[in-house]
Amino acid sequence: MSIKVDDKIGTVRRAIPVRDARALFLRFMPGIVLVVLVLAVALANPLFLRPNSLLTAADSAAPLLVLAAGAMLVILCGSIDLSVAALASMCSVFVALWVPALGGWAVLAAVLVGATAGLIQGAVHVVAQIPSFIVTLGGLAVWSGIGLVASSAATVGVEGDSLEWAFTRIGDARIPSAALIAAGVAVLIAAVFWFTPVRRWFEAVGSAEPAAVLAGVPAAQIKLAAFTVSGACAGLAGGLLVARTYSGAPGLADSLLLPVVAAIVVGGTAITGGYGGIGRTVIGVLIITVLRVGLSVAGVDPSIEQIIYGVLVIGAVSLTIDRSKFQVMK
Amino acid sequence: MSVPVLNVVDLKKRYAETTALGGVTFEVRPHEVVGLIGENGAGKSTLLKSLVGLVQPDSGRIELRGNAVKLRSVAHAGSAGIGMVFQEQSLIPNVTVAENILLGAEGGAVRGGIYRWRELARRAQVQLDKIGCLVDPMAITDTLSFAQRQLVEIAKVLAIEERTHAEPVVLLDEPTSVLDSDEIEILFAQIERLRTHASVVFVSHRLDEVMKVADRVYVLRNGQTVGEFVPGQTDEAELQRMMIGRDAQGSHYHEDAQVDVSAKPVRLRVSGVSLKGVCDAVSFDVRRGEVVGLAGVQGSGREELSRALFGAETLSSGHISIEGEVKRFRSPRAAIAAGFGFVPAERRREGMVATMTIAENVTLPHITTVCNGPFLDRPRERRIVNDWVQKLRVKAPSIAASIATLSGGNQQKAVLARWMVSGDLRVLILDHPTRGLDVGAKSEVYKLIRTLSATDVAIVLLADSLEETIAMSHRVIVMKDGKVSAEIPAPVSSKPSPLEILERMI
Amino acid sequence: MLGTYGPPAALLALCTAFSIASPQFRTWTNLRNVLDSASVLAVITVGLTFVLLLGAIDLSIEGVMAASGLSVALLLANNRNDVDLGFVAIIAAVALGACFGLANGLLSTRLRIPSFMTTLGVSAIGIGVATVLFGGIQPTISSPAVAEWANGQVLGLTRLTFVAAFVVVVGVLIQRYTRIGRYARVIGGAEDLAALSGVRVARYKTLAFTLAGALYGLGGVMVTIQLGSGIVAAGAGQNFTAITAAVVGGTLLSGGRGGVIQSVVGVLIVTVLANGLVLIGVSPYVQKAVQGIIVVAAVAITTWPLRERMRVVK
């Protein structure tokens, strides 16, 4: 009996079996949707394709991308972080309060606060073995509460230009700095995923945790890392929001929770974990952003946005979810 | 003779690579207690599942009182007249006994969606009375003992009678497995009462029990009915031989490749290991290159013990040592770092990450062997994995293919390969490594075990059958109720008989 | 023991402690305040209880309350249109809530998506619907008869408080004597086994979600009547408070345990805590944080014994 081992494919990468239509759909659909959306918006309003409009769109997408990038890591390992928006709000309050003392470093401090908050949530989830949606729902309440107390439930204004770096245009091309920061976060995650084994650990934990643990994958540490990074990203997003609104407020980012979840799942990351990535999340964020622009171009009442997010989340989750993971669906 | 209540004719069921049922034929007559006996993996559970509509057979017939039926679900089987007392119990823990007995078939006890509790309790009491069970129908189910809940299960199955206006067929799936000896006696008395209301199929792997309660016994082996006996008229030893079979062939197991390890030093020492509620003060040694088979029925604690050795369960006392060095693993990760490997029984759930590629799966436990510092070295990974894929003859289009696309045998070889890439495998724990594989793939796995044994890897084997245990092991440790009940040497020259081991298992 | 007597004991302890700490707390006026302010929370928590009994969760409360609240404001006599349907308006708003609940149930069971995702989406849809209805001009109810329900007193309590008491009683009856109630508990106890016995799980789950939705709708109506006008934030913060109340009372998130009575005890605990903390001078903003910690701690305490090395919790 001779065995033929063909190694012509070259790199060791995930190969999706062609017969698996669902996998193909998941892989290419988000990109196609994005292109179609851009074309549709461009047809309705050709001005959209001018560099300046595109850069404005990219700028407005930055906080969403930062939040989504962190939350995606948690979803990739099969858990969920419902606290990101509330945490970003809390951090925005802290940034606004600390700018007088720390200047621009207030953002770094907020990132650390966010990371600590995320780490606490991760530790409760891992040690007490409580479902992550409960832990982060509780966290959501705690962080909003802290934000309310710290700000006495009021908007905290920021004066001076110490946060200007996070909301400015750079160079002749007038690239928005916030978009660069967000892109930096995405590239950093992509680089770690590509050059180190970390991505496999996330996927293994998300897709088959018992198998991952029995293969020696440090599952607890992976989850802790995911929650910590997610918290740090929320802190950074809080900082970016303060820079563009010149103020921090206890509810500043709260409405971003649904767009974040929508962006992640619309990009094709499965809510059940083990399948997804940063590239998809970028696409998802762009879809949401272009959709927003498209709605305003089409003259649609902006209050319908929420309805669209709701429908998108349910629709995208139902397309990407791996139902074989559930014996019963709670 | 009267018409059989239940008549099963040539029932067959095949899963992707294995035949679960290869032609089962038996009949149950009115008020009869029929025993079905067979080893683990003989097809008992698939048979029962097809009798209550949980599994759809590929071919064959199920006839109830002369009418062929096609059972779609447990509820449907119930309305046709077959009910099962599930081994792991199927009662809802947080509601009353009466609700459980009548669940899904409350009839007049619930009118227009409104509960009439008195009527519900009365109807439940009727069923409990049939077996003389003294449980209060309004008690919350999880306040009862296991044995009481089992009686409630039986009462629930008996409620079929009122629905179908005919006496039901009651399937009892390993009903004694979690009972102590007093409770078993009570259960047997209940079965005697039960037969006045129903026909009973009693399924077990414990020969003594089946001989005691059954009027007739069918023996199941490899998914087929291989014999029919009347207890008292047949020699017990003959029955056991029939259960176990004699188609063992040395070459299938590569017995000639069994190396002599009598002079080798001890590698793994298990000293007084206890697991809470599972096993108690288990001790044994495994030499370098030795294959030690752990034998035992379900509930003997061998599965949990094997997982505990790998750090996947918490030891309540005792310890293990490797080459004299005491180890306390807090996780499988720690065990892997100490040179342990583990092949779990549930390959799809625990053995591999189905969404990842062959290469990613193979290098997952020992990722550092293909890393430079924190960075993946993909060319080196490709080289190493290709090397092992060729050595183990894994049939795959490419190592970049998803592991889910491989056949079961090739998946299992890839799972074994992952423990070899580090080059420092010291102890390998194999939990049913050949489960679900076809004959050829099994033989290849056996060969691989022999090769590993020849390279001084200490191996703990939980085999699929007794035959496999005996053929593959240098020594067999028999476990019963969480304790080691015997240690039986199994050198090539004088392999013990399955009966010798079976005696110490039950 | 802790499960049965813990929450009432906690309620008693809280009342005692606040009575000692604050003379204001131990007045009749304050007791009536507590009961009045618990009424809306009680109604929605009774609804939520049926969903929690299933072992599912409902995050759509704020959306449903907003949509129902605005529709009732626009259907009663108001400053935005000439519609005045009177009592029918309330029926319609409750029915709208039931429709949202039905959507929760159907989407969760038919698309087979975890309920926390579907209800999160449905909540957004509800908020969106409410925002569209709001349309930039706040609809203010102009009927004095309606205002009387929130302000007028019977036996020292508002009529809405009696509505809440009525809902609690009906909730207990539904839970104890109807298939929706009993099967919700059965499904939460062991969904797969219930299906084995022929229980139509999807149908009864959907019905429980629908019942819950109707009660959230009623909650939205009550808030709107209290405020005298329809606002999108009618249910703001209520979802988490209701979850806290249910869990603290002993209705577990894992399903099948607890019930309406337990949840109502939880509602009183949460309300007394809020009231007492304010009276002893603690910032009301702290409460949200306290609730978050309470929920996680309660779940941690009840599930702590289940921890195991290889247990998978997502």
Side-chain angles (χ1 to χ4, degrees), chain A residues 292-325:
Chain A
R292 245 185 207 167
V293 175
L295 289 178
S296 70
V297 167
V300 175
D301 181 352
S303 45
I304 288 186
E305 241 178 61
Q306 284 289 328
I307 301 181
I308 291 174
Y309 292 146
V311 173
L312 268 184
V313 164
I314 295 174
V317 165
S318 80
L319 286 176
T320 56
I321 195 170
D322 177 2
R323 294 181 175 82
S324 68
K325 282 205 186 137

Short mmCIF file of all heavy atoms in Angstrom, two decimals, chain A residues 292-325:
data_model
loop_
_atom_site.label_atom_id
_atom_site.label_comp_id
_atom_site.label_asym_id
_atom_site.label_seq_id
_atom_site.Cartn_x
_atom_site.Cartn_y
_atom_site.Cartn_z
N ARG A 292 -24.08 53.01 7.03
CA ARG A 292 -24.51 54.25 7.68
C ARG A 292 -24.50 55.41 6.68
O ARG A 292 -25.47 56.16 6.58
CB ARG A 292 -23.53 54.57 8.79
CG ARG A 292 -24.13 54.51 10.15
CD ARG A 292 -23.11 54.98 11.14
NE ARG A 292 -23.36 54.39 12.42
CZ ARG A 292 -22.48 54.41 13.41
NH1 ARG A 292 -21.28 54.94 13.22
NH2 ARG A 292 -22.77 53.88 14.55
N VAL A 293 -23.37 55.51 5.95
CA VAL A 293 -23.27 56.57 4.96
C VAL A 293 -24.38 56.42 3.93
O VAL A 293 -25.06 57.38 3.58
CB VAL A 293 -21.89 56.51 4.26
CG1 VAL A 293 -21.82 57.55 3.15
CG2 VAL A 293 -20.78 56.73 5.27
N GLY A 294 -24.58 55.15 3.49
CA GLY A 294 -25.58 54.88 2.46
C GLY A 294 -26.96 55.30 2.92
O GLY A 294 -27.73 55.89 2.16
N LEU A 295 -27.27 55.02 4.17
CA LEU A 295 -28.59 55.37 4.67
C LEU A 295 -28.81 56.86 4.63
O LEU A 295 -29.88 57.35 4.25
CB LEU A 295 -28.77 54.84 6.10
CG LEU A 295 -28.91 53.34 6.24
CD1 LEU A 295 -29.03 52.94 7.69
CD2 LEU A 295 -30.12 52.84 5.46
N SER A 296 -27.75 57.61 5.01
CA SER A 296 -27.94 59.06 5.01
C SER A 296 -28.00 59.60 3.59
O SER A 296 -28.74 60.54 3.30
CB SER A 296 -26.85 59.75 5.83
OG SER A 296 -25.63 59.67 5.15
N VAL A 297 -27.23 58.96 2.68
CA VAL A 297 -27.30 59.36 1.27
C VAL A 297 -28.71 59.13 0.74
O VAL A 297 -29.29 59.96 0.06
CB VAL A 297 -26.28 58.57 0.42
CG1 VAL A 297 -26.57 58.76 -1.07
CG2 VAL A 297 -24.87 59.02 0.75
N ALA A 298 -29.28 57.97 1.11
CA ALA A 298 -30.61 57.62 0.61
C ALA A 298 -31.70 58.41 1.33
O ALA A 298 -32.88 58.26 1.04
CB ALA A 298 -30.85 56.12 0.76
N GLY A 299 -31.28 59.21 2.31
CA GLY A 299 -32.26 60.03 3.00
C GLY A 299 -33.14 59.25 3.95
O GLY A 299 -34.26 59.64 4.27
N VAL A 300 -32.63 58.10 4.43
CA VAL A 300 -33.42 57.30 5.35
C VAL A 300 -33.33 57.90 6.75
O VAL A 300 -32.27 58.38 7.16
CB VAL A 300 -32.90 55.84 5.37
CG1 VAL A 300 -33.62 55.02 6.40
CG2 VAL A 300 -33.04 55.23 3.99
N ASP A 301 -34.44 57.88 7.45
CA ASP A 301 -34.50 58.36 8.83
C ASP A 301 -33.43 57.65 9.66
O ASP A 301 -33.42 56.42 9.73
CB ASP A 301 -35.91 58.04 9.35
CG ASP A 301 -36.10 58.53 10.78
OD1 ASP A 301 -35.11 58.97 11.39
OD2 ASP A 301 -37.25 58.45 11.26
N PRO A 302 -32.50 58.40 10.26
CA PRO A 302 -31.42 57.73 11.01
C PRO A 302 -31.93 56.87 12.16
O PRO A 302 -31.23 55.98 12.62
CB PRO A 302 -30.57 58.89 11.52
CG PRO A 302 -31.37 60.12 11.31
CD PRO A 302 -32.36 59.84 10.24
N SER A 303 -33.17 57.12 12.61
CA SER A 303 -33.65 56.30 13.74
C SER A 303 -33.92 54.86 13.31
O SER A 303 -34.06 53.98 14.14
CB SER A 303 -34.90 56.93 14.34
OG SER A 303 -35.79 57.32 13.33
N ILE A 304 -33.95 54.63 11.99
CA ILE A 304 -34.15 53.26 11.52
C ILE A 304 -32.87 52.44 11.67
O ILE A 304 -32.89 51.22 11.65
CB ILE A 304 -34.67 53.30 10.07
CG1 ILE A 304 -36.11 53.79 10.09
CG2 ILE A 304 -34.61 51.94 9.39
CD1 ILE A 304 -36.80 53.75 8.79
N GLU A 305 -31.74 53.18 11.85
CA GLU A 305 -30.46 52.49 12.00
C GLU A 305 -30.51 51.35 13.01
O GLU A 305 -30.04 50.25 12.76
CB GLU A 305 -29.40 53.50 12.44
CG GLU A 305 -28.27 53.64 11.45
CD GLU A 305 -27.28 54.68 11.91
OE1 GLU A 305 -26.70 54.49 12.99
OE2 GLU A 305 -27.09 55.68 11.19
N GLN A 306 -31.10 51.64 14.19
CA GLN A 306 -31.16 50.62 15.24
C GLN A 306 -31.89 49.36 14.75
O GLN A 306 -31.47 48.24 15.02
CB GLN A 306 -31.90 51.18 16.47
CG GLN A 306 -31.07 52.14 17.30
CD GLN A 306 -29.96 51.44 18.07
OE1 GLN A 306 -30.09 50.30 18.48
NE2 GLN A 306 -28.85 52.13 18.24
N ILE A 307 -32.98 49.59 14.02
CA ILE A 307 -33.74 48.44 13.51
C ILE A 307 -32.85 47.62 12.59
O ILE A 307 -32.81 46.39 12.67
CB ILE A 307 -35.00 48.92 12.76
CG1 ILE A 307 -35.89 49.74 13.70
CG2 ILE A 307 -35.76 47.74 12.17
CD1 ILE A 307 -37.17 50.23 13.09
N ILE A 308 -32.08 48.33 11.76
CA ILE A 308 -31.21 47.61 10.83
C ILE A 308 -30.15 46.81 11.57
O ILE A 308 -29.87 45.65 11.25
CB ILE A 308 -30.59 48.60 9.82
CG1 ILE A 308 -31.71 49.11 8.90
CG2 ILE A 308 -29.49 47.94 9.02
CD1 ILE A 308 -31.28 50.19 7.96
N TYR A 309 -29.55 47.42 12.62
CA TYR A 309 -28.56 46.67 13.40
C TYR A 309 -29.17 45.41 13.99
O TYR A 309 -28.58 44.33 13.95
CB TYR A 309 -28.00 47.53 14.54
CG TYR A 309 -27.16 48.68 14.08
CD1 TYR A 309 -27.16 49.88 14.78
CD2 TYR A 309 -26.36 48.57 12.95
CE1 TYR A 309 -26.39 50.95 14.37
CE2 TYR A 309 -25.60 49.63 12.53
CZ TYR A 309 -25.61 50.82 13.24
OH TYR A 309 -24.85 51.87 12.82
N GLY A 310 -30.37 45.56 14.53
CA GLY A 310 -31.04 44.41 15.14
C GLY A 310 -31.23 43.29 14.13
O GLY A 310 -30.89 42.14 14.39
N VAL A 311 -31.75 43.66 12.97
CA VAL A 311 -31.99 42.65 11.93
C VAL A 311 -30.67 42.04 11.47
O VAL A 311 -30.55 40.83 11.29
CB VAL A 311 -32.75 43.29 10.74
CG1 VAL A 311 -32.85 42.31 9.59
CG2 VAL A 311 -34.13 43.74 11.19
N LEU A 312 -29.65 42.92 11.29
CA LEU A 312 -28.34 42.43 10.83
C LEU A 312 -27.75 41.42 11.81
O LEU A 312 -27.24 40.37 11.42
CB LEU A 312 -27.37 43.60 10.70
CG LEU A 312 -27.28 44.28 9.35
CD1 LEU A 312 -26.20 45.35 9.40
CD2 LEU A 312 -26.99 43.28 8.24
N VAL A 313 -27.80 41.77 13.10
CA VAL A 313 -27.21 40.87 14.10
C VAL A 313 -27.89 39.51 14.04
O VAL A 313 -27.23 38.47 13.93
CB VAL A 313 -27.34 41.47 15.52
CG1 VAL A 313 -27.11 40.41 16.57
CG2 VAL A 313 -26.32 42.59 15.70
N ILE A 314 -29.23 39.52 14.07
CA ILE A 314 -29.94 38.24 14.08
C ILE A 314 -29.67 37.48 12.78
O ILE A 314 -29.37 36.28 12.79
CB ILE A 314 -31.45 38.46 14.29
CG1 ILE A 314 -31.67 39.05 15.69
CG2 ILE A 314 -32.22 37.16 14.15
CD1 ILE A 314 -33.10 39.43 15.98
N GLY A 315 -29.74 38.19 11.67
CA GLY A 315 -29.52 37.53 10.38
C GLY A 315 -28.12 36.96 10.26
O GLY A 315 -27.94 35.79 9.91
N ALA A 316 -27.11 37.78 10.59
CA ALA A 316 -25.73 37.32 10.43
C ALA A 316 -25.41 36.19 11.40
O ALA A 316 -24.73 35.23 11.05
CB ALA A 316 -24.77 38.49 10.63
N VAL A 317 -25.92 36.30 12.63
CA VAL A 317 -25.66 35.21 13.59
C VAL A 317 -26.27 33.92 13.08
O VAL A 317 -25.66 32.86 13.11
CB VAL A 317 -26.24 35.57 14.98
CG1 VAL A 317 -26.30 34.34 15.86
CG2 VAL A 317 -25.38 36.62 15.65
N SER A 318 -27.48 34.01 12.54
CA SER A 318 -28.13 32.77 12.11
C SER A 318 -27.40 32.16 10.91
O SER A 318 -27.44 30.96 10.71
CB SER A 318 -29.60 33.01 11.80
OG SER A 318 -29.73 33.57 10.52
N LEU A 319 -26.71 32.99 10.12
CA LEU A 319 -25.96 32.44 8.98
C LEU A 319 -24.63 31.84 9.40
O LEU A 319 -24.15 30.89 8.79
CB LEU A 319 -25.71 33.53 7.93
CG LEU A 319 -26.93 33.96 7.12
CD1 LEU A 319 -26.57 35.11 6.20
CD2 LEU A 319 -27.44 32.78 6.30
N THR A 320 -23.99 32.42 10.42
CA THR A 320 -22.63 32.00 10.73
C THR A 320 -22.53 31.04 11.90
O THR A 320 -21.51 30.44 12.12
CB THR A 320 -21.75 33.23 11.08
OG1 THR A 320 -22.36 33.94 12.15
CG2 THR A 320 -21.61 34.15 9.89
N ILE A 321 -23.61 30.87 12.65
CA ILE A 321 -23.53 30.09 13.89
C ILE A 321 -23.29 28.60 13.58
O ILE A 321 -23.75 28.09 12.57
CB ILE A 321 -24.84 30.28 14.69
CG1 ILE A 321 -24.66 29.80 16.12
CG2 ILE A 321 -26.00 29.56 14.04
CD1 ILE A 321 -25.83 30.20 17.00
N ASP A 322 -22.53 27.96 14.47
CA ASP A 322 -22.29 26.53 14.31
C ASP A 322 -23.23 25.79 15.26
O ASP A 322 -22.96 25.64 16.44
CB ASP A 322 -20.82 26.23 14.65
CG ASP A 322 -20.53 24.74 14.56
OD1 ASP A 322 -21.44 23.97 14.19
OD2 ASP A 322 -19.39 24.35 14.85
N ARG A 323 -24.34 25.35 14.71
CA ARG A 323 -25.39 24.78 15.58
C ARG A 323 -25.01 23.43 16.13
O ARG A 323 -25.61 22.96 17.10
CB ARG A 323 -26.71 24.70 14.82
CG ARG A 323 -27.24 26.07 14.47
CD ARG A 323 -28.55 26.02 13.73
NE ARG A 323 -29.08 27.36 13.52
CZ ARG A 323 -28.72 28.16 12.54
NH1 ARG A 323 -27.83 27.76 11.66
NH2 ARG A 323 -29.23 29.37 12.42
N SER A 324 -24.02 22.77 15.53
CA SER A 324 -23.65 21.45 16.03
C SER A 324 -23.06 21.53 17.43
O SER A 324 -22.90 20.52 18.10
CB SER A 324 -22.65 20.80 15.07
OG SER A 324 -21.43 21.51 15.12
N LYS A 325 -22.70 22.75 17.85
CA LYS A 325 -22.08 22.87 19.18
C LYS A 325 -23.08 22.81 20.30
O LYS A 325 -22.72 22.70 21.46
CB LYS A 325 -21.34 24.19 19.27
CG LYS A 325 -20.04 24.15 18.57
CD LYS A 325 -19.11 25.15 19.16
CE LYS A 325 -17.86 25.17 18.33
NZ LYS A 325 -17.42 26.52 18.09
#
